[in-house]
Amino acid sequence: MFALVVRFDLHADRAAKFDELVASTVASILEKEPGTLVYATHRVEGEPLTRIFYEVYRDRAAFDEHERQPHTLRFLSERDQYVATARVEFLTPAATKGLPAGE
């Protein structure tokens, strides 16, 4: 299993467009990425311009395949116009419920 969390802080006047881009991207992930086990996007309570993504992949190869997909490349090329700051943290899964056992 390979997992990460991403925090996006958005420009105030561009949050709705970012959310549209995310919705389109997630629709393609659902349809075309069997190795993506969880791709959950969240709004943060009390922080209307913050989004958190939690992503779990079958393995590093599935993540690499996700990164090569046209919908992901589109998201990566367009997101910077909406995002003020981004922070990516790669995770080492420990105790879980609902996810495959860690390796």
Side-chain angles (χ1 to χ4, degrees):
M1 183 170 39
F2 185 81
L4 60 118
V5 64
V6 185
R7 177 187 174 109
F8 295 104
D9 294 303
L10 308 175
H11 296 291
D13 59 340
R14 300 183 194 148
K17 290 290 189 184
F18 178 82
D19 292 338
E20 290 173 16
L21 176 62
V22 169
S24 172
T25 302
V26 171
S28 293
I29 291 168
L30 286 167
E31 179 184 335
K32 300 175 182 176
E33 294 187 26
T36 301
L37 305 179
V38 175
Y39 198 94
T41 65
H42 305 273
R43 294 176 186 231
V44 176
E45 203 170 304
E47 296 186 43
L49 298 177
T50 300
R51 305 294 184 268
I52 303 290
F53 289 19
Y54 176 62
E55 306 173 31
V56 180
Y57 301 89
R58 181 185 58 240
D59 51 25
R60 178 63 193 238
F63 171 73
D64 293 341
E65 182 63 24
H66 163 77
E67 292 288 290
R68 288 190 291 268
Q69 295 298 309
H71 50 269
T72 301
L73 295 172
R74 176 178 170 246
F75 174 80
L76 294 173
S77 72
E78 294 183 20
R79 73 176 177 188
D80 288 346
Q81 64 187 310
Y82 310 118
V83 174
T85 62
R87 178 177 171 163
V88 179
E89 295 180 340
F90 294 96
L91 307 174
T92 301
T96 64
K97 177 183 186 276
L99 297 174
E103 296 178 1

